[in-house]
């Protein structure tokens, strides 16, 4: 069963629409290189589209009615959007769920040190990465410093044209005989991923010190003391913007496609809802998926369930039993990226069941690893229903597995939401270079994901 490349079905009007969505997506990707920035940008866009803060409704006690557009800002790191439908929420809602955290390098709490004529920041990487890919490339620092007086200092260094950038050094090839003989996982160790941030000393108490120079600059330019690192969240990401890739400009090279490409397709779908839908539509942008969906902002926390309870209460139709029924009766697409087939590494894939760039939004009946461990594994009846929605919406889609059976695997948030008893299947965009500093997607897949997600929330 071969699936055709989506580009073959596009006329000039379709191609213009693809480019328009891709352009907006690249702007979103550049504005949201961390989960905090991504959440902030999603809320900004939602407010422009007429969404209001659910918390304001809770405080005022104002009744929620069909047609209301609401958002939830959860700790600045997770976001939920709701468009209230005509049907009682107890009968279930249609949900899109993605994550907005991406693999990166985090600055430790006691990070600053000086060694061999340089100042460094000590780090701890976040999520699954190939550590050797993060050396000898320009890096930027994004994040926040929370001071004890309550002030929050935003950090964003390395993205503007006149900003300095940062780097993790690598050993020169001339002296690398021993290094080149190591396994790839050992070529660069986690403790070697320290960020080089300065090299010029100052005289501090009659002593030459580069660390002192850094502390002086941090104090003068940002009002940051060394002690403030204890309550800071500073993330190191690749410096630079997302860009068109290929002579035909059919692809996008960027940081964080996993999983912000699905997150943005969800936003486009939600923003495109006109009037009052039959069923309530929901979009979840979750944090911490790359490390197991843990913590207060990960999908294993109860903020989605709590938001549902608050909304049902303000519609005047809440009870614990009705909330349980609402969750159980809901349907969901767990929107996370798929491994795109790479001809350069064809041996890792089973070609008949691989996702191809350009062939449309991808559905994974199951993820997990080897014997489907850690998977959701959607029901056949639910797949048939979802595929009919895609067919009726003229959406190009494909199905895939995550590589050969015994090669590896991965997970999503699908199994977590399935714990409520709702039907869930994984759906996303095929990606090359997944978890690398720079990943690749096809613009057509982004566009078909947007179309598919819109069709789902309105018709599932």
């Amino acid at each position: 069963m071969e699936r055709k490349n989506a580009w073959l079905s596009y006329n000039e009007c379709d191609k213009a629409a693809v480019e328009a969505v891709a352009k907006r997506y690249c702007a979103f990707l550049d504005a949201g290189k961390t989960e905090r920035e991504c959440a902030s940008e999603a809320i900004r866009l939602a407010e422009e589209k007429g969404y209001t803060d659910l918390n304001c409704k809770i405080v005022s006690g104002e009744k929620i009615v069909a047609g209301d557009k609401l958002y939830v800002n959860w700790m600045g790191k997770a976001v939920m959007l709701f468009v209230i439908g005509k049907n009682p929420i107890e009968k279930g809602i249609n949900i899109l769920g993605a994550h907005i955290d991406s693999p990166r390098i985090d600055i430790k709490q006691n990070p600053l040190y000086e060694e061999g004529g340089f100042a460094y920041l000590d780090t701890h990487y976040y999520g699954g990465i190939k550590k050797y890919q993060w050396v000898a490339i320009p890096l930027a620092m994004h994040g926040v410093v929370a001071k004890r007086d309550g002030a929050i200092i935003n950090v964003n260094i390395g993205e503007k044209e006149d900003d300095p950038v940062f780097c993790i050094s690598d050993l020169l090839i001339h002296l690398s005989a021993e290094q080149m003989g190591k396994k790839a996982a050992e070529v660069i160790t986690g403790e070697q991923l320290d960020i080089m941030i300065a090299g010029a000393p100052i005289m501090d108490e009659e002593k030459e010190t580069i660390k002192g120079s850094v502390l002086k600059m941090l104090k003068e330019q940002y009002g940051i003391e060394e002690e403030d690192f204890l309550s800071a969240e500073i993330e190191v990401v690749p410096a630079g913007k997302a860009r068109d890739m290929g002579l035909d400009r059919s692809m996008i090279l960027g940081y964080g496609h996993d999983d912000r490409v699905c997150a943005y397709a969800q936003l486009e779908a939600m923003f495109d809802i006109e009037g009052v839908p039959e069923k309530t539509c929901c979009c979840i942008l979750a944090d911490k998926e790359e490390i197991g969906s843990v913590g207060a902002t990960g999908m294993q926390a109860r903020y989605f369930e709590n938001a549902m309870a608050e909304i049902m209460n303000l519609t005047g139709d809440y009870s614990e039993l009705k909330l349980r029924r609402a969750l159980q009766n809901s349907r969901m697409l767990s929107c996370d990226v798929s491994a795109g087939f790479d001809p350069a590494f064809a041996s890792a894939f089973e070609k008949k069941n691989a996702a191809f760039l350009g062939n449309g939004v991808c559905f994974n009946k199951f993820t997990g690893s080897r014997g489907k461990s850690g998977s959701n594994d959607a029901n056949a009846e639910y797949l048939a229903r979802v595929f009919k929605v895609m067919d009726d919406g003229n959406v190009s889609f494909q199905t895939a597995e995550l590589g050969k059976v015994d090669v590896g695997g991965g997970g999503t948030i699908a199994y977590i939401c399935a714990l409520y008893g709702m039907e869930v299947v994984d759906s996303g965009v095929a990606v090359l270079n997944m978890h690398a500093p720079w990943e690749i997607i096809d613009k057509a897949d982004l566009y078909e994901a947007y179309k598919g997600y819109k069709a789902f929330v309105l018709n599932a």
Side-chain angles (χ1 to χ4, degrees):
M1 294 183 290
E2 291 189 12
R3 313 298 294 187
K4 290 185 178 180
N5 191 290
W7 287 101
L8 296 174
S9 66
Y10 293 157
N11 57 31
E12 290 306 312
C13 184
D14 295 326
K15 291 177 182 178
V18 170
E19 288 299 325
V21 172
K23 185 176 181 180
R24 293 194 293 270
Y25 168 59
C26 285
F28 176 80
L29 206 58
D30 294 339
K33 283 198 165 182
T34 69
E35 71 286 353
R36 285 181 183 270
E37 292 173 347
C38 200
S40 178
E41 183 67 3
I43 290 170
R44 184 188 71 81
L45 294 172
E47 288 179 337
E48 286 184 354
K49 297 293 184 179
Y51 285 75
T52 58
D53 191 341
L54 173 62
N55 193 55
C56 293
K57 299 270 191 181
I58 295 171
V59 171
S60 68
E62 182 182 349
K63 187 175 177 62
I64 289 175
V65 297
D68 280 354
K69 296 181 177 181
L70 308 166
Y71 72 81
V72 178
N73 177 356
W74 186 246
M75 296 188 177
K77 293 183 176 182
V79 177
M80 292 167 284
L81 304 183
F82 295 87
V83 179
I84 307 303
K86 299 174 184 177
N87 294 343
I89 292 176
E90 180 186 354
K91 293 183 179 297
I93 71 174
N94 292 338
I95 306 166
L96 302 169
H99 66 91
I100 52 175
D101 61 314
S102 294
R104 61 177 190 258
I105 298 174
D106 287 344
I107 302 300
K108 289 184 179 180
Q109 288 181 283
N110 184 21
L112 183 59
Y113 70 96
E114 178 178 340
E115 182 64 44
F118 300 102
Y120 292 91
L121 291 177
D122 206 353
T123 71
H124 193 134
Y125 62 92
Y126 173 98
I129 66 171
K130 293 180 176 178
K131 295 183 284 291
Y132 63 80
Q133 293 178 330
W134 288 76
V135 301
I137 63 172
L139 300 169
M141 288 194 291
H142 295 238
V144 296
V145 177
K147 296 178 72 69
R148 292 171 190 177
D149 63 3
I152 301 294
I153 300 172
N154 290 306
V155 176
N156 188 326
I157 311 170
E159 300 295 351
K160 296 178 182 177
E161 194 169 321
D162 58 350
D163 273 357
V165 294
F166 308 94
C167 190
I168 301 167
S169 61
D170 194 10
L171 185 62
L172 65 162
I173 187 65
H174 309 73
L175 302 178
S176 297
E178 180 181 350
Q179 182 194 47
M180 297 294 281
K182 295 180 178 179
K183 294 180 180 179
E186 300 168 354
V187 168
I188 299 292
T189 67
E191 292 295 346
Q192 287 178 307
L193 292 175
D194 289 355
I195 310 298
M196 186 181 293
I197 62 166
I202 61 169
M203 293 300 296
D204 184 17
E205 298 180 354
E206 299 183 355
K207 177 184 177 183
E208 289 186 9
T209 170
I210 302 171
K211 179 179 176 180
S213 173
V214 171
L215 291 173
K216 183 172 184 289
M217 286 186 289
L218 290 175
K219 175 69 173 177
E220 291 176 350
Q221 297 180 31
Y222 302 99
I224 297 172
E225 307 277 1
E226 185 172 15
E227 190 79 3
D228 294 330
F229 280 112
L230 295 176
S231 54
E233 290 183 353
I234 301 176
E235 302 171 13
V236 178
V237 299
K241 294 184 176 182
R243 301 184 63 176
D244 284 353
M245 178 176 157
L247 290 175
D248 56 5
R249 296 181 177 269
S250 64
M251 295 169 283
I252 299 173
L253 181 72
Y255 165 68
H257 288 318
D258 180 9
D259 184 32
R260 292 167 192 148
V261 62
C262 295
Y264 186 73
Q266 290 185 180
L267 291 175
E268 284 268 343
M270 293 292 288
F271 295 159
D272 226 17
I273 296 173
E274 298 177 353
V276 182
E278 291 297 318
K279 297 174 67 174
T280 293
C281 304
C282 173
C283 161
I284 303 171
L285 307 181
D287 183 27
K288 298 291 191 292
E289 191 275 345
E290 295 296 357
I291 58 171
S293 296
V294 295
T297 55
M299 200 65 219
Q300 292 194 61
R302 298 289 181 86
Y303 53 88
F304 166 65
E305 179 182 332
N306 293 342
M308 286 280 286
E310 295 284 5
I311 289 172
M312 293 180 73
N313 184 56
L314 289 176
T315 62
D317 194 32
Y318 171 78
S319 72
E320 183 67 14
L321 179 58
K322 287 184 176 182
L323 173 61
R324 296 296 152 198
R325 287 173 177 167
L327 294 168
Q328 178 178 286
N329 292 334
S330 293
R331 298 187 177 103
M332 180 180 183
L333 292 185
S334 170
C335 306
D336 207 341
V337 295
S338 294
F341 179 79
D342 189 337
F345 302 96
S347 62
F349 299 87
E350 195 271 283
K351 198 171 181 180
K352 298 193 309 302
N353 290 287
F356 287 80
L357 266 66
N359 282 15
V361 62
C362 183
F363 289 89
N364 295 76
K365 184 179 187 297
F366 52 86
T367 53
S369 60
R370 298 174 177 86
K372 301 186 181 181
S373 176
S375 176
N376 170 56
D377 206 356
N379 294 329
E381 295 89 343
Y382 184 53
L383 288 175
R385 183 186 187 96
V386 171
F387 293 160
K388 184 179 186 306
V389 170
M390 297 300 115
D391 288 338
D392 292 346
N394 195 30
V395 177
S396 294
F397 72 91
Q398 56 185 319
T399 60
E401 297 180 11
L402 192 61
K404 285 185 175 179
V405 175
D406 284 330
V407 169
T412 68
I413 65 172
Y415 75 96
I416 300 168
C417 296
L419 293 173
Y420 292 117
M422 68 177 69
E423 295 274 26
V424 186
V425 65
D426 284 296
S427 169
V429 171
V431 175
L432 298 188
N433 301 351
M434 194 186 298
H435 282 208
W438 297 102
E439 300 170 319
I440 302 167
I441 65 157
D442 192 294
K443 293 177 181 178
D445 295 333
L446 165 63
Y447 183 66
E448 296 300 324
Y450 144 67
K451 287 171 52 184
Y453 297 164
K454 180 182 175 182
F456 176 85
V457 290
L458 291 177
N459 302 299

